[in-house]
Amino acid sequence: MSMLNHLSAFADRAIRATVPHSPRYAVSLIDRNSGRPHMISGVPLVLLTTTPRETSVDLMRNRDPSRWDTFIERMDSKGAFQ
């Protein structure tokens, strides 16, 4: 095996080490009447993003704001909620 076989993995690690980590967020759609997240086939709708405001606006598009709301949680570098 040559060094070229591992070049992409090396490049990925180098980029992660030099580029600052942008924070990630989990955005959920919440039913205001019940206070519970919107479910699709029994699974809560949660979108992971680096742009929570834009994602929140997209989730609320064509929805009644008196019935729906969004909830934004910041995630740490390992993917756990803070």
Side-chain angles (χ1 to χ4, degrees):
M1 250 187 206
S2 71
M3 182 72 150
L4 292 176
N5 293 347
H6 302 288
L7 188 57
S8 64
F10 174 76
D12 182 55
R13 288 189 184 109
I15 288 172
R16 287 184 188 185
T18 58
V19 176
H21 176 71
S22 52
R24 290 179 291 174
Y25 300 87
V27 181
S28 303
L29 186 63
I30 305 295
D31 185 347
R32 286 180 181 258
N33 295 331
S34 67
R36 301 183 73 184
H38 179 60
M39 303 280 222
I40 298 175
S41 298
V43 178
L45 175 65
V46 178
L47 300 175
L48 302 179
T49 182
T50 58
T51 56
R53 300 283 180 225
E54 290 84 359
T55 304
S56 179
V57 169
D58 286 344
L59 276 174
M60 289 300 293
R61 184 173 291 127
N62 297 327
R63 295 188 193 273
D64 182 8
S66 65
R67 172 151 187 230
W68 296 102
D69 196 8
T70 56
F71 180 68
I72 300 171
E73 288 181 278
R74 186 181 172 128
M75 301 174 74
D76 66 11
S77 62
K78 295 181 181 176
F81 297 114
Q82 290 184 345

